Amino acid sequence: MSKPNNLNTKIFLDGGIPEETKEVIELLGFLDGQTTNPTLITKHPSFLACQAKGEKCTEEDGWKYYREIVTEISPLVEKGSVSIEVYADHNTEAEEMVSKGLELFKWIPNAHVKLPITHEGLKAAETLVGKGIRVNMTLCFSQDQAAAVYSATKGAKKGDVFVSPFVGRLDDRGENGMSLIRNILEMYKSGDSHVEVLVASVRNMDHFLRSLQLKADIVTSPLSIYKLWSESGMKIPEENYVYDNGALTNILYKELDLSKDWQEFNIKHELTDKGIDRFSQDWNALINK
Ligand code: E4P
């Protein structure tokens, strides 16, 4: 199979195991990039081996394994991107994220450094982008957060900044995650396009197809979705495809001024806080700090 001509969205794999990357490339004939996160990475056999021995890895080993994993993935998506996430809990300060981000960025030639959309994460992004570092701003659950990402990273080149709205986790609490994607894409139309919208937390084929229909810049999905997509002959949704949001409540569009300073947007979101808890707990469960 090869890339469909009418595909306007970059296709990323969401995962932490290089064998899966190879499998997707085999299935689709191409892959534009990969996203990882602490939860996905700690599913890799290197981490599980420590766990099987009833031990925790040292922090040094944890980062060593993470580096080995992305070093293996990087050349498989040579012209694309691999997102590597900094460790962040509620006490992690911007300075720490900046120094870790600078280190992670040097691991491979095609890295995007993942940072949470919190006050400290945005502060770190502002500094990193100023140093020419590519970033992927994660745990996005609101249009305000996407506006703050836009504003904090002004001046960056197109493709150097991703914002990752998590559609599945919004659906989980009854809100239509795909309506947030539509809203952010609409809001960014008035901007300079330096931020690319990366649809994350994709749980089903409809999330994937709707992302293509909306012409989101990037969609990242697990291997299971690409198996289904390849079985369907890599179908692209027609103009008349209707996304069925069932009983989910649509998130309403807000008029936001992208020329405002990032600090002026209301970036607080309960799911961002919960997401930070989950990622840091999954990492700490296997790492001895
Ligand atoms: C990718 O960048 C995200 O971390 C990932 O899609 C989150 O997915 P989940 O909500 O299924 O954990």
Side-chain angles (χ1 to χ4, degrees), residues 75-217:
L76 302 172
V77 287
E78 202 184 356
K79 295 199 183 91
S81 146
V82 182
S83 291
I84 317 173
E85 192 150 342
V86 300
Y87 172 84
D89 58 31
H90 295 291
N91 299 319
T92 312
E93 293 181 355
E95 292 66 31
E96 205 179 318
M97 294 190 217
V98 168
S99 98
K100 195 73 202 179
L102 289 170
E103 184 192 329
L104 302 182
F105 192 72
K106 289 194 206 118
W107 282 0
I108 51 172
N110 49 356
H112 272 76
V113 173
K114 262 175 123 179
L115 302 157
I117 307 177
T118 56
H119 183 268
E120 294 304 298
L122 285 163
K123 212 166 129 189
E126 197 173 27
T127 307
L128 286 169
V129 160
K131 293 177 187 290
I133 305 298
R134 294 178 291 270
V135 296
N136 175 353
M137 303 307 294
T138 193
L139 291 166
C140 177
F141 295 98
S142 75
Q143 206 189 311
D144 288 76
Q145 290 179 322
V149 167
Y150 180 94
S151 174
T153 58
K154 266 186 200 145
K157 279 205 319 281
K158 181 171 166 59
D160 281 5
V161 181
F162 302 155
V163 64
S164 293
F166 279 31
V167 295
R169 295 194 196 184
L170 281 163
D171 284 13
D172 288 344
R173 64 172 210 177
E175 294 178 67
N176 178 6
M178 291 313 300
S179 64
L180 176 64
I181 302 296
R182 186 195 55 213
N183 294 346
I184 297 173
L185 288 168
E186 181 61 31
M187 171 175 74
Y188 281 175
K189 277 187 193 160
S190 66
D192 62 7
S193 313
H194 77 274
V195 183
E196 294 193 327
V197 179
L198 186 160
V199 184
S201 189
V202 165
R203 303 272 170 77
N204 54 53
M205 209 50 204
D206 283 312
H207 284 153
F208 178 76
L209 292 176
R210 179 69 173 142
S211 303
L212 303 194
Q213 187 185 42
L214 287 172
K215 299 187 173 52
D217 300 282

